[in-house]
Amino acid sequence: MRRGTAYQRKVRHLPAFGKRVYLLLPAIRLTCKDCHAHFVWHYDCVSPKKRYTKAITETSGRGDDYACSTPL
């Protein structure tokens, strides 16, 4: 059951054409009908509470200061 208001989660992704790319993912709040537990929809491409995708971590080994090391 959806509950509350949805907001957009801004997540950094791999750069394209030398520019930073951000994904705007809807953060949807849900409530369990049986136990009334609240949670936010989980995306496979982003770890919980992270501001960058798993692709950046896999490519660079670090997610915070990703810079493309190969010239275009």
Side-chain angles (χ1 to χ4, degrees):
M1 170 189 317
R2 288 183 77 159
R3 189 159 190 97
T5 58
Y7 62 93
Q8 287 188 338
R9 184 174 169 193
K10 186 176 178 181
V11 179
R12 189 168 171 189
H13 194 51
L14 293 172
F17 305 106
K19 302 283 185 174
R20 289 184 177 177
V21 175
Y22 292 93
L23 304 176
L24 296 176
L25 302 174
I28 302 168
R29 286 182 172 257
L30 300 168
T31 303
C32 177
K33 290 180 181 180
D34 298 327
C35 66
H36 302 287
H38 302 280
F39 56 96
V40 178
W41 185 263
H42 173 74
Y43 292 97
D44 292 333
C45 64
V46 183
S47 297
K49 300 183 181 180
K50 297 294 181 185
R51 295 181 183 255
Y52 49 87
T53 61
K54 291 179 182 177
I56 288 180
T57 306
E58 293 169 0
T59 303
S60 67
R62 57 187 180 159
D64 297 343
D65 299 316
Y66 179 79
C68 184
S69 59
T70 56
L72 297 177

